[in-house]
């Protein structure tokens, strides 16, 4: 199964379940192995949560395989 940026629970899909994991990763409470850094700025932040929400709503789809 491919691993996508934004798929923090590693189930092969980017869904609402990934948002709290991204929040935990941004606070240093969850090891996301780089999957949460969607905008490639070197850190998982609240900006990445916004990109997950865009993806879920069909705007700016995330297709980067890692």
């Amino acid at each position: 199964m491919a691993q996508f940026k934004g798929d923090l629970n590693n189930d092969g899909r980017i869904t609402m379940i990934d948002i709290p994991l991204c929040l935990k990763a941004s606070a240093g409470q969850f090891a996301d192995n780089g999957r949460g850094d969607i905008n490639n700025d070197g850190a998982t932040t609240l900006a990445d949560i916004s990109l997950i929400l865009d993806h879920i709503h069909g705007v700016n789809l995330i297709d980067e395989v890692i």
Side-chain angles (χ1 to χ4, degrees), residues 12-63:
R13 303 177 304 148
I14 301 169
T15 64
M16 294 294 282
I17 295 168
D18 297 303
I19 292 174
L21 296 175
C22 192
L23 184 60
K24 285 182 177 186
S26 71
Q29 299 173 349
F30 177 77
D32 66 353
N33 299 320
R35 290 190 311 262
D37 182 18
I38 299 160
N39 61 3
N40 296 313
D41 67 354
T44 300
T45 65
L46 297 178
D48 297 303
I49 292 173
S50 178
L51 294 173
I52 290 174
L53 286 169
D54 283 351
H55 174 86
I56 290 168
H57 290 104
V59 179
N60 297 325
L61 297 179
I62 301 167
D63 60 359

